[in-house]
Amino acid sequence: MIAAVLALAALGTGVSAGQINSQLQIEAGQTFELGGGQKGGFVVTGKNTGRVAVVVYGLREGGKAPVERGTVAPGGAVNASFGPGEQALLRNTSSMETARLKLTINGDTSALGMTYSANP
């Protein structure tokens, strides 16, 4: 299981635009958590390159429950925007197989935290 936390260092106090390209893998029964607390928004685009669906949620800063944005079927595309302070949650729907996505993240990427958690 990938259980690392990757934090990108902030480059000053302003909002910094940038781009991250990722061949993301989400283990079975896991959710990938991206962002939360950043000053600006960001956009996640890409394609589900695996064999299992991934559900995309947004969790607003101070929010109690995530809001579903949609399901990305195998071979399907994702294009979701997240506001300042909002967290993107990408949940593997399988309890047995790893999900795989090819993603590009644009916007305020200067301080996006990234981690994994168990599905609720």
Side-chain angles (χ1 to χ4, degrees):
M1 177 175 109
I2 300 171
V5 175
L6 173 62
L8 301 174
L11 300 173
T13 58
V15 173
S16 238
Q19 180 173 309
I20 298 170
N21 294 301
S22 174
Q23 296 285 337
L24 179 65
Q25 294 186 40
I26 308 169
E27 297 294 327
Q30 295 284 302
T31 297
F32 176 68
E33 301 176 357
L34 175 65
Q38 71 281 348
K39 293 182 186 218
F42 61 95
V43 177
V44 177
T45 58
K47 182 177 180 177
N48 183 338
T49 58
R51 299 188 318 182
V52 299
V54 173
V55 181
V56 178
Y57 297 90
L59 180 60
R60 296 216 179 264
E61 194 165 27
K64 297 193 186 306
V67 175
E68 186 173 332
R69 300 286 185 86
T71 300
V72 186
V78 60
N79 185 348
S81 297
F82 300 89
E86 189 173 13
Q87 187 174 45
L89 306 172
L90 286 77
R91 186 164 296 153
N92 182 345
T93 61
S94 174
S95 61
M96 300 186 62
E97 190 167 342
T98 299
R100 291 177 170 74
L101 299 109
K102 182 177 181 179
L103 299 177
T104 300
I105 302 142
N106 285 294
D108 183 12
T109 61
S110 65
L112 283 181
M114 301 177 204
T115 191
Y116 295 85
S117 64
N119 289 348

XYZ file of all heavy atoms in Angstrom:
837
model
N 0.838 -1.180 0.000
C 0.000 0.000 0.000
C 0.878 1.236 0.000
O 1.872 1.317 0.689
C -0.888 -0.017 1.241
C -1.752 1.206 1.358
S -2.870 1.080 2.732
C -2.136 2.268 3.804
N 0.483 2.171 -0.822
C 1.203 3.435 -0.839
C 0.640 4.266 0.298
O -0.513 4.624 0.304
C 1.007 4.164 -2.178
C 1.515 3.295 -3.317
C 1.712 5.496 -2.169
C 1.190 3.821 -4.673
N 1.467 4.602 1.283
C 0.969 5.343 2.436
C 1.878 6.521 2.737
O 2.294 6.745 3.849
C 0.867 4.416 3.635
N 2.239 7.242 1.703
C 3.137 8.376 1.887
C 2.364 9.667 1.771
O 1.349 9.739 1.107
C 4.236 8.334 0.831
N 2.857 10.670 2.422
C 2.271 11.998 2.305
C 3.265 12.840 1.539
O 4.424 12.925 1.900
C 2.009 12.619 3.692
C 1.519 14.049 3.556
C 1.021 11.784 4.465
N 2.798 13.439 0.462
C 3.650 14.289 -0.355
C 3.146 15.709 -0.237
O 2.003 15.982 -0.550
C 3.590 13.828 -1.819
C 4.281 14.705 -2.850
C 5.765 14.771 -2.560
C 4.046 14.165 -4.231
N 3.980 16.587 0.257
C 3.590 17.995 0.376
C 4.549 18.806 -0.482
O 5.754 18.662 -0.382
C 3.666 18.445 1.819
N 3.999 19.635 -1.320
C 4.814 20.489 -2.166
C 5.011 21.816 -1.460
O 4.064 22.418 -0.983
C 4.117 20.693 -3.523
C 3.843 19.404 -4.279
C 3.020 19.688 -5.521
C 5.129 18.714 -4.644
N 6.241 22.292 -1.373
C 6.552 23.506 -0.621
C 5.943 24.734 -1.272
O 5.897 24.865 -2.484
C 8.068 23.663 -0.533
N 5.477 25.632 -0.447
C 4.906 26.898 -0.925
C 6.034 27.818 -1.370
O 7.080 27.877 -0.751
C 4.096 27.547 0.184
N 5.803 28.544 -2.441
C 6.800 29.467 -2.969
C 6.355 30.905 -2.720
O 6.144 31.664 -3.648
C 6.990 29.232 -4.475
C 7.465 27.853 -4.871
C 7.452 27.703 -6.382
C 8.856 27.598 -4.325
N 6.206 31.285 -1.477
C 5.771 32.639 -1.170
C 4.353 32.639 -0.658
O 3.739 31.610 -0.440
N 3.804 33.851 -0.472
C 2.488 33.968 0.126
C 1.369 34.085 -0.885
O 0.218 33.932 -0.545
C 2.440 35.188 1.064
O 2.766 36.347 0.301
C 3.402 35.020 2.220
N 1.658 34.367 -2.139
C 0.623 34.502 -3.160
C 0.224 33.166 -3.735
O 0.808 32.135 -3.438
N -0.816 33.190 -4.549
C -1.259 31.981 -5.236
C -0.309 31.721 -6.389
O -0.040 32.598 -7.197
C -2.707 32.150 -5.746
C -3.106 30.971 -6.604
C -3.660 32.304 -4.582
N 0.197 30.498 -6.473
C 1.149 30.124 -7.507
C 0.501 29.144 -8.468
O -0.002 28.118 -8.041
C 2.349 29.442 -6.864
O 3.528 30.088 -7.159
N 0.512 29.482 -9.738
C -0.045 28.575 -10.742
C 1.032 27.583 -11.153
O 2.200 27.925 -11.255
C -0.537 29.356 -11.948
N 0.617 26.361 -11.375
C 1.555 25.340 -11.791
C 0.820 24.151 -12.367
O -0.402 24.155 -12.485
N 1.596 23.132 -12.724
C 1.019 21.926 -13.313
C 1.716 20.708 -12.733
O 2.931 20.701 -12.577
C 1.170 21.943 -14.827
C 0.584 20.721 -15.505
C 0.595 20.848 -17.015
O 0.133 21.837 -17.543
N 1.130 19.855 -17.682
N 0.922 19.696 -12.433
C 1.433 18.406 -11.972
C 0.881 17.346 -12.914
O -0.309 17.332 -13.204
C 0.967 18.096 -10.535
C 1.487 19.144 -9.555
C 1.400 16.686 -10.117
C 0.881 19.045 -8.177
N 1.753 16.461 -13.389
C 1.333 15.322 -14.202
C 1.566 14.064 -13.377
O 2.612 13.921 -12.747
C 2.130 15.252 -15.504
C 1.821 16.422 -16.401
O 0.685 16.625 -16.787
N 2.819 17.225 -16.697
N 0.586 13.155 -13.370
C 0.675 11.992 -12.506
C 0.106 10.744 -13.163
O -0.922 10.794 -13.823
C -0.110 12.272 -11.218
O -0.160 11.126 -10.408
N 0.796 9.640 -12.956
C 0.272 8.309 -13.264
C -0.190 7.754 -11.914
O 0.515 7.022 -11.254
C 1.362 7.424 -13.872
C 1.887 7.894 -15.198
C 0.907 7.634 -16.329
O 0.045 6.766 -16.259
N 1.028 8.410 -17.381
N -1.367 8.147 -11.490
C -1.863 7.852 -10.155
C -2.377 6.419 -10.044
O -3.096 5.939 -10.920
C -2.992 8.823 -9.805
C -3.651 8.650 -8.439
C -2.656 8.950 -7.326
C -4.865 9.561 -8.339
N -2.016 5.768 -8.942
C -2.557 4.460 -8.594
C -3.213 4.585 -7.226
O -2.623 5.146 -6.299
C -1.463 3.401 -8.536
C -0.844 3.134 -9.897
C 0.133 1.976 -9.832
O -0.116 0.978 -9.168
N 1.241 2.111 -10.530
N -4.436 4.075 -7.112
C -5.153 4.092 -5.847
C -5.443 2.642 -5.477
O -6.176 1.948 -6.191
C -6.473 4.891 -5.949
C -6.227 6.285 -6.526
C -7.146 4.975 -4.582
C -7.501 7.030 -6.906
N -4.852 2.203 -4.393
C -5.020 0.813 -3.963
C -6.487 0.494 -3.696
O -7.294 1.391 -3.407
C -4.197 0.551 -2.693
C -2.698 0.716 -2.885
C -2.081 -0.314 -3.815
O -2.555 -1.464 -3.840
O -1.130 0.045 -4.526
N -6.839 -0.774 -3.762
C -8.201 -1.236 -3.478
C -8.627 -0.754 -2.101
O -7.845 -0.792 -1.151
C -8.253 -2.759 -3.547
N -9.861 -0.266 -2.000
C -10.391 0.173 -0.719
C -9.835 1.490 -0.215
O -9.995 1.818 0.949
N -9.181 2.268 -1.100
C -8.538 3.512 -0.688
C -9.111 4.728 -1.426
O -9.685 4.605 -2.509
C -7.032 3.452 -0.968
C -6.297 2.410 -0.155
C -6.107 2.853 1.279
O -5.518 3.881 1.554
N -6.619 2.047 2.200
N -8.909 5.897 -0.822
C -9.265 7.185 -1.415
C -8.013 8.040 -1.482
O -7.270 8.139 -0.496
C -10.336 7.902 -0.560
O -11.529 7.120 -0.553
C -10.652 9.287 -1.109
N -7.764 8.661 -2.634
C -6.670 9.614 -2.792
C -7.212 10.985 -2.428
O -8.234 11.417 -2.952
C -6.163 9.600 -4.242
C -5.093 10.615 -4.520
C -3.841 10.502 -3.945
C -5.342 11.679 -5.373
C -2.850 11.432 -4.212
C -4.366 12.608 -5.652
C -3.110 12.483 -5.069
N -6.543 11.678 -1.508
C -6.946 13.000 -1.043
C -5.956 14.035 -1.564
O -4.763 13.924 -1.314
C -6.997 13.027 0.482
C -7.954 12.004 1.062
C -7.929 11.953 2.575
O -7.121 12.675 3.214
O -8.719 11.187 3.138
N -6.475 15.035 -2.261
C -5.636 16.055 -2.890
C -6.091 17.436 -2.451
O -7.262 17.792 -2.620
C -5.736 15.932 -4.419
C -5.015 16.978 -5.257
C -3.500 16.880 -5.054
C -5.358 16.795 -6.730
N -5.169 18.214 -1.920
C -5.471 19.592 -1.552
C -6.154 19.712 -0.211
O -6.171 18.798 0.600
N -6.734 20.907 -0.025
C -7.365 21.255 1.234
C -6.544 22.331 1.917
O -5.387 22.111 2.243
N -7.107 23.510 2.050
C -6.403 24.605 2.698
C -5.584 25.479 1.769
O -5.033 26.487 2.202
N -5.489 25.159 0.484
C -4.698 25.971 -0.449
C -5.415 27.298 -0.720
O -6.625 27.384 -0.626
C -4.404 25.209 -1.755
C -5.585 24.996 -2.669
C -6.500 23.853 -2.241
O -6.167 23.060 -1.373
N -7.663 23.781 -2.855
N -4.637 28.322 -1.064
C -5.186 29.671 -1.271
C -5.982 29.812 -2.556
O -6.891 30.616 -2.632
C -4.062 30.703 -1.244
C -3.446 30.822 0.122
C -2.373 31.875 0.154
C -1.715 31.834 1.506
N -1.382 33.118 2.017
N -5.621 29.071 -3.583
C -6.310 29.171 -4.865
C -6.973 27.860 -5.249
O -6.863 26.854 -4.542
N -7.662 27.877 -6.380
C -8.316 26.684 -6.876
C -7.410 25.868 -7.782
O -6.312 26.287 -8.137
N -7.889 24.690 -8.147
C -7.157 23.840 -9.075
C -8.145 22.999 -9.873
O -9.308 22.852 -9.488
C -6.126 22.954 -8.353
C -6.699 21.993 -7.344
C -6.979 20.677 -7.695
C -6.942 22.382 -6.038
C -7.496 19.788 -6.777
C -7.455 21.501 -5.104
C -7.734 20.192 -5.473
N -7.667 22.465 -10.995
C -8.479 21.647 -11.892
C -7.775 20.304 -12.100
O -6.573 20.265 -12.349
C -8.690 22.353 -13.257
C -9.481 21.469 -14.214
C -9.367 23.701 -13.063
N -8.552 19.227 -12.007
C -8.044 17.880 -12.243
C -8.648 17.383 -13.550
O -9.869 17.311 -13.686
C -8.416 16.926 -11.090
C -7.947 15.509 -11.388
C -7.846 17.416 -9.766
N -7.792 17.063 -14.526
C -8.245 16.492 -15.791
C -7.468 15.208 -16.047
O -6.371 15.013 -15.520
C -8.034 17.458 -16.976
O -6.649 17.797 -17.060
C -8.860 18.723 -16.820
N -8.036 14.350 -16.873
C -7.313 13.139 -17.212
C -8.231 12.011 -17.614
O -9.397 12.222 -17.970
N -7.673 10.792 -17.519
C -8.370 9.610 -17.997
C -8.180 8.453 -17.023
O -7.106 8.280 -16.448
C -7.810 9.221 -19.369
C -8.479 8.029 -19.997
C -7.947 7.743 -21.379
C -8.663 6.531 -21.964
N -8.243 6.250 -23.310
N -9.230 7.667 -16.866
C -9.162 6.442 -16.085
C -8.539 5.376 -16.987
O -9.150 4.929 -17.956
C -10.563 6.018 -15.623
C -10.541 4.797 -14.738
O -9.601 4.016 -14.753
N -11.613 4.615 -13.975
N -7.309 4.972 -16.689
C -6.587 3.999 -17.512
C -6.673 2.584 -16.937
O -6.086 1.660 -17.492
C -5.104 4.396 -17.651
O -4.520 4.476 -16.347
C -4.958 5.728 -18.377
N -7.409 2.432 -15.846
C -7.520 1.133 -15.196
C -8.803 0.407 -15.546
O -9.526 0.778 -16.470
N -9.088 -0.642 -14.745
C -10.248 -1.496 -15.002
C -11.367 -1.306 -13.991
O -12.350 -2.048 -14.018
C -9.811 -2.960 -15.007
C -8.789 -3.258 -16.091
C -8.473 -4.712 -16.239
N -8.322 -5.404 -14.954
C -8.012 -6.678 -14.835
N -7.818 -7.402 -15.901
N -7.888 -7.228 -13.649
N -11.211 -0.325 -13.079
C -12.257 -0.087 -12.079
C -12.658 1.379 -12.087
O -11.863 2.257 -12.423
C -11.812 -0.506 -10.658
C -11.507 -1.990 -10.610
C -10.632 0.285 -10.178
N -13.900 1.638 -11.710
C -14.414 3.001 -11.655
C -13.844 3.748 -10.449
O -13.493 3.153 -9.434
C -15.932 2.985 -11.569
N -13.771 5.075 -10.600
C -13.313 5.965 -9.535
C -14.379 7.038 -9.349
O -14.827 7.651 -10.322
C -11.955 6.610 -9.904
C -11.555 7.660 -8.871
C -10.872 5.546 -10.043
N -14.785 7.260 -8.093
C -15.761 8.309 -7.798
C -15.001 9.549 -7.343
O -14.094 9.461 -6.507
C -16.766 7.870 -6.715
C -17.779 8.974 -6.443
C -17.482 6.598 -7.137
N -15.372 10.702 -7.909
C -14.731 11.977 -7.578
C -15.663 12.765 -6.666
O -16.846 12.939 -6.960
C -14.429 12.789 -8.859
C -13.803 14.130 -8.513
C -13.542 11.983 -9.800
N -15.111 13.240 -5.545
C -15.841 14.060 -4.579
C -15.091 15.363 -4.362
O -13.874 15.428 -4.556
C -15.921 13.367 -3.207
C -16.675 12.079 -3.175
C -16.043 10.868 -3.392
C -18.039 12.064 -2.891
C -16.735 9.671 -3.335
C -18.745 10.864 -2.834
C -18.077 9.684 -3.058
O -18.774 8.497 -3.002
N -15.802 16.379 -3.903
C -15.199 17.613 -3.440
C -15.597 17.823 -1.991
O -16.742 17.572 -1.604
N -14.651 18.271 -1.173
C -14.924 18.567 0.228
C -14.486 20.001 0.493
O -13.296 20.306 0.507
C -14.187 17.598 1.151
C -14.389 17.802 2.658
C -15.871 17.667 3.032
C -13.545 16.820 3.449
N -15.466 20.879 0.639
C -15.179 22.298 0.878
C -14.535 22.496 2.241
O -14.813 21.747 3.173
C -16.456 23.122 0.792
C -17.064 23.100 -0.597
C -17.680 24.433 -0.935
N -18.241 24.401 -2.266
C -17.596 24.831 -3.341
N -16.398 25.309 -3.252
N -18.178 24.779 -4.523
N -13.696 23.505 2.333
C -13.048 23.832 3.598
C -14.119 24.060 4.663
O -15.054 24.825 4.463
C -12.189 25.084 3.413
C -11.225 25.333 4.528
C -10.169 26.350 4.161
O -10.432 27.212 3.298
O -9.088 26.280 4.744
N -14.019 23.352 5.766
C -15.015 23.442 6.830
C -16.251 22.593 6.590
O -17.151 22.551 7.421
N -16.304 21.905 5.434
C -17.452 21.067 5.107
C -17.490 19.806 5.945
O -16.459 19.300 6.377
N -18.679 19.304 6.179
C -18.842 18.106 7.010
C -18.869 16.821 6.189
O -18.467 15.772 6.660
C -20.111 18.228 7.837
C -20.055 19.392 8.810
C -21.148 19.307 9.819
C -21.225 20.514 10.708
N -20.062 20.902 11.399
N -19.350 16.919 4.953
C -19.465 15.718 4.123
C -19.052 16.065 2.690
O -19.358 17.150 2.197
C -20.892 15.190 4.148
N -18.360 15.140 2.022
C -17.988 15.394 0.627
C -19.210 15.370 -0.289
O -20.198 14.702 -0.004
C -17.030 14.249 0.297
C -17.280 13.202 1.313
C -17.877 13.855 2.510
N -19.104 16.115 -1.396
C -20.164 16.174 -2.397
C -19.676 15.424 -3.635
O -18.601 15.722 -4.166
C -20.501 17.639 -2.756
C -21.522 17.701 -3.876
C -20.999 18.386 -1.521
N -20.474 14.458 -4.081
C -20.085 13.679 -5.255
C -20.121 14.546 -6.498
O -21.078 15.268 -6.747
C -21.008 12.472 -5.430
C -20.552 11.557 -6.548
C -21.358 10.273 -6.632
O -21.890 9.821 -5.610
O -21.439 9.736 -7.750
N -19.042 14.449 -7.308
C -18.932 15.185 -8.570
C -19.191 14.292 -9.765
O -19.448 14.769 -10.849
C -17.533 15.791 -8.716
C -17.150 16.757 -7.621
C -17.889 18.087 -7.796
N -17.452 19.061 -6.849
C -16.409 19.859 -7.019
N -15.689 19.810 -8.103
N -16.084 20.717 -6.079
N -19.056 12.982 -9.582
C -19.292 12.051 -10.675
C -18.426 10.817 -10.561
O -17.535 10.744 -9.725
N -18.730 9.861 -11.413
C -17.981 8.608 -11.469
C -17.244 8.532 -12.790
O -17.821 8.811 -13.839
C -18.931 7.406 -11.313
O -19.594 7.515 -10.050
C -18.182 6.089 -11.376
N -15.972 8.151 -12.726
C -15.146 8.009 -13.925
C -15.007 6.512 -14.209
O -14.283 5.804 -13.507
C -13.764 8.664 -13.743
C -12.984 8.633 -15.045
C -13.894 10.088 -13.219
N -15.723 6.051 -15.217
C -15.675 4.643 -15.606
C -14.334 4.328 -16.270
O -13.631 5.234 -16.737
C -16.815 4.348 -16.580
N -13.964 3.057 -16.343
C -12.749 2.687 -17.067
C -12.782 3.261 -18.483
O -13.789 3.160 -19.184
C -12.795 1.161 -17.077
C -13.564 0.820 -15.833
C -14.609 1.895 -15.733
N -11.703 3.932 -18.875
C -11.619 4.571 -20.182
C -12.233 5.955 -20.222
O -12.081 6.680 -21.193
N -12.935 6.339 -19.158
C -13.618 7.632 -19.100
C -12.690 8.766 -18.718
O -11.580 8.566 -18.231
N -13.178 9.986 -18.929
C -12.404 11.188 -18.650
C -12.919 11.887 -17.399
O -14.095 11.801 -17.057
C -12.475 12.145 -19.835
N -12.013 12.586 -16.736
C -12.359 13.414 -15.580
C -11.960 14.854 -15.904
O -10.928 15.103 -16.526
C -11.662 12.920 -14.288
C -10.155 12.934 -14.410
C -12.100 13.733 -13.089
N -12.823 15.792 -15.509
C -12.546 17.223 -15.629
C -13.308 17.892 -14.499
O -14.498 18.158 -14.612
C -12.980 17.765 -16.987
C -12.583 19.219 -17.169
O -12.189 19.905 -16.235
N -12.692 19.690 -18.395
N -12.632 18.109 -13.371
C -13.297 18.639 -12.182
C -12.504 19.813 -11.620
O -11.285 19.739 -11.487
C -13.421 17.544 -11.130
N -13.219 20.884 -11.273
C -12.613 22.082 -10.687
C -12.882 22.112 -9.191
O -13.977 21.766 -8.733
C -13.219 23.338 -11.316
O -12.939 23.388 -12.685
N -11.888 22.585 -8.439
C -11.975 22.677 -6.994
C -11.551 24.078 -6.575
O -10.556 24.603 -7.062
C -11.099 21.606 -6.335
C -11.514 20.219 -6.737
C -10.964 19.615 -7.862
C -12.491 19.542 -6.037
C -11.365 18.351 -8.268
C -12.904 18.274 -6.435
C -12.346 17.682 -7.538
N -12.310 24.679 -5.674
C -12.078 26.050 -5.264
C -11.007 26.189 -4.195
O -10.465 25.200 -3.693
N -10.706 27.436 -3.821
C -9.741 27.684 -2.749
C -10.130 26.915 -1.486
O -11.290 26.905 -1.081
C -9.847 29.194 -2.521
C -10.328 29.734 -3.828
C -11.259 28.680 -4.367
N -9.159 26.237 -0.892
C -9.383 25.488 0.329
C -10.086 24.160 0.165
O -10.155 23.362 1.109
N -10.623 23.879 -1.018
C -11.381 22.647 -1.246
C -10.440 21.467 -1.475
O -9.363 21.598 -2.033
C -12.306 22.821 -2.443
C -13.279 21.683 -2.635
C -14.298 21.948 -3.728
O -14.122 22.899 -4.517
O -15.276 21.198 -3.797
N -10.890 20.295 -1.054
C -10.125 19.066 -1.232
C -10.801 18.181 -2.275
O -12.027 18.038 -2.280
C -10.046 18.328 0.105
C -9.133 17.129 0.101
C -8.999 16.533 1.493
O -9.978 16.368 2.209
N -7.783 16.202 1.861
N -10.005 17.594 -3.160
C -10.490 16.608 -4.126
C -10.280 15.219 -3.520
O -9.212 14.931 -2.986
C -9.716 16.718 -5.434
N -11.312 14.385 -3.604
C -11.232 13.010 -3.120
C -11.520 12.088 -4.289
O -12.581 12.188 -4.913
C -12.250 12.767 -2.001
C -12.201 13.732 -0.814
C -13.376 13.486 0.117
C -10.891 13.603 -0.074
N -10.595 11.197 -4.618
C -10.773 10.233 -5.701
C -10.812 8.847 -5.067
O -9.808 8.371 -4.540
C -9.646 10.343 -6.719
C -9.699 11.569 -7.630
C -9.227 12.812 -6.893
C -8.884 11.355 -8.867
N -11.990 8.215 -5.095
C -12.230 6.974 -4.366
C -12.274 5.774 -5.305
O -13.087 5.715 -6.220
C -13.537 7.087 -3.588
C -13.816 5.919 -2.677
C -14.888 6.235 -1.669
N -14.397 7.299 -0.789
C -15.194 8.154 -0.162
N -16.498 8.079 -0.296
N -14.675 9.080 0.618
N -11.407 4.802 -5.052
C -11.418 3.538 -5.778
C -12.663 2.769 -5.355
O -12.885 2.537 -4.167
C -10.144 2.750 -5.449
C -10.050 1.436 -6.193
O -11.028 0.941 -6.749
N -8.869 0.852 -6.215
N -13.492 2.371 -6.304
C -14.736 1.666 -5.992
C -14.532 0.173 -5.747
O -15.460 -0.502 -5.314
C -15.772 1.842 -7.120
O -15.230 1.298 -8.328
C -16.135 3.302 -7.315
N -13.344 -0.334 -6.019
C -13.083 -1.765 -5.874
C -12.449 -2.078 -4.520
O -11.605 -1.325 -4.027
C -12.145 -2.243 -6.983
O -11.782 -3.596 -6.774
N -12.833 -3.190 -3.971
C -12.194 -3.665 -2.745
C -11.115 -4.704 -3.057
O -10.506 -5.252 -2.147
C -13.239 -4.274 -1.802
O -13.856 -5.378 -2.428
N -10.886 -4.947 -4.381
C -9.932 -5.987 -4.761
C -8.880 -5.553 -5.777
O -7.846 -6.191 -5.891
C -10.698 -7.190 -5.304
C -11.648 -7.769 -4.267
S -12.455 -9.268 -4.778
C -11.092 -10.357 -5.008
N -9.138 -4.473 -6.521
C -8.244 -4.114 -7.621
C -7.789 -2.658 -7.533
O -8.553 -1.782 -7.147
C -8.969 -4.339 -8.956
C -8.059 -4.229 -10.145
C -8.696 -4.743 -11.421
O -9.688 -5.491 -11.356
O -8.198 -4.371 -12.492
N -6.554 -2.407 -7.924
C -5.983 -1.060 -7.938
C -6.593 -0.235 -9.067
O -6.749 -0.725 -10.187
C -4.447 -1.140 -8.120
O -3.896 -1.865 -7.021
C -3.813 0.236 -8.193
N -6.938 1.010 -8.762
C -7.423 1.947 -9.779
C -6.217 2.696 -10.354
O -5.246 2.975 -9.636
C -8.400 2.944 -9.156
N -6.300 3.041 -11.644
C -5.201 3.736 -12.315
C -5.754 4.897 -13.126
O -6.703 4.721 -13.892
C -4.451 2.772 -13.217
C -3.676 1.719 -12.451
C -2.987 0.711 -13.374
N -2.068 -0.146 -12.647
C -2.422 -1.131 -11.840
N -3.693 -1.402 -11.651
N -1.518 -1.849 -11.200
N -5.129 6.054 -12.954
C -5.545 7.243 -13.696
C -4.313 7.993 -14.187
O -3.285 8.022 -13.507
C -6.354 8.190 -12.793
C -7.645 7.607 -12.240
C -7.502 7.364 -10.758
C -8.797 8.518 -12.530
N -4.447 8.597 -15.342
C -3.427 9.508 -15.864
C -4.015 10.905 -15.703
O -5.010 11.243 -16.356
C -3.126 9.211 -17.332
C -2.041 10.095 -17.893
C -1.701 9.731 -19.314
C -0.578 10.637 -19.809
N -0.203 10.304 -21.178
N -3.414 11.713 -14.801
C -3.989 13.001 -14.443
C -3.057 14.167 -14.710
O -1.832 14.027 -14.652
C -4.336 13.022 -12.948
C -5.347 12.003 -12.444
C -5.505 12.134 -10.940
C -6.676 12.173 -13.146
N -3.660 15.321 -14.940
C -2.970 16.598 -14.964
C -3.710 17.509 -13.990
O -4.933 17.598 -14.036
C -2.963 17.216 -16.374
O -2.290 16.317 -17.267
C -2.259 18.561 -16.390
N -2.961 18.152 -13.124
C -3.535 19.070 -12.141
C -2.969 20.450 -12.442
O -1.747 20.631 -12.473
C -3.190 18.629 -10.707
C -3.712 17.212 -10.481
C -3.772 19.597 -9.685
C -2.827 16.351 -9.668
N -3.864 21.408 -12.684
C -3.462 22.776 -13.009
C -4.070 23.740 -12.002
O -5.161 23.504 -11.494
C -3.959 23.175 -14.413
C -3.148 22.526 -15.496
O -1.977 22.814 -15.659
N -3.763 21.617 -16.232
N -3.374 24.834 -11.768
C -3.884 25.871 -10.877
C -2.929 26.092 -9.728
O -1.715 26.079 -9.908
N -3.485 26.293 -8.533
C -2.674 26.543 -7.348
C -2.117 25.221 -6.832
O -2.685 24.586 -5.951
C -3.503 27.241 -6.265
C -2.670 27.574 -5.030
O -1.428 27.472 -5.095
O -3.263 27.929 -4.004
N -0.984 24.828 -7.399
C -0.359 23.555 -7.025
C 0.832 23.755 -6.097
O 1.497 22.784 -5.744
C 0.120 22.796 -8.289
O 1.091 23.598 -8.958
C -1.040 22.474 -9.210
N 1.082 24.989 -5.683
C 2.293 25.276 -4.906
C 2.297 24.625 -3.527
O 3.355 24.418 -2.953
C 2.472 26.788 -4.754
O 1.414 27.343 -3.997
N 1.147 24.308 -2.974
C 1.106 23.738 -1.628
C 0.026 22.676 -1.492
O -0.605 22.556 -0.454
C 0.878 24.853 -0.602
N -0.186 21.889 -2.545
C -1.224 20.846 -2.480
C -0.709 19.646 -1.695
O 0.264 19.002 -2.081
C -1.608 20.375 -3.886
C -2.510 21.283 -4.701
C -2.814 20.646 -6.047
C -3.800 21.607 -3.969
N -1.399 19.325 -0.608
C -1.079 18.111 0.123
C -1.694 16.917 -0.593
O -2.741 17.039 -1.241
N -1.030 15.771 -0.500
C -1.519 14.554 -1.142
C -1.322 13.404 -0.171
O -0.249 13.256 0.388
C -0.738 14.277 -2.421
C -0.804 15.356 -3.448
S 0.228 14.970 -4.876
C 0.533 16.608 -5.490
N -2.378 12.605 0.007
C -2.295 11.446 0.879
C -3.370 10.427 0.486
O -4.151 10.672 -0.425
C -2.436 11.861 2.369
O -2.100 10.756 3.191
C -3.837 12.354 2.689
N -3.368 9.296 1.153
C -4.354 8.243 0.941
C -5.043 7.933 2.265
O -4.438 8.066 3.326
C -3.692 6.958 0.416
C -3.081 7.103 -0.953
C -1.801 7.599 -1.109
C -3.791 6.744 -2.096
C -1.230 7.736 -2.365
C -3.218 6.867 -3.354
C -1.949 7.373 -3.482
O -1.384 7.500 -4.725
N -6.285 7.508 2.196
C -7.004 7.062 3.400
C -7.900 5.889 3.018
O -8.203 5.670 1.848
C -7.850 8.211 3.978
O -8.858 8.588 3.061
N -8.329 5.151 4.036
C -9.234 4.034 3.801
C -10.616 4.568 3.444
O -11.054 5.594 3.961
C -9.326 3.169 5.051
N -11.303 3.871 2.536
C -12.671 4.255 2.183
C -13.568 4.124 3.416
O -13.393 3.198 4.199
C -13.227 3.364 1.057
C -12.576 3.658 -0.276
O -11.875 4.646 -0.445
N -12.809 2.787 -1.228
N -14.538 5.049 3.540
C -15.451 4.949 4.678
C -16.393 3.759 4.538
O -16.591 3.212 3.512
C -16.236 6.254 4.622
C -16.009 6.828 3.277
C -14.800 6.181 2.717
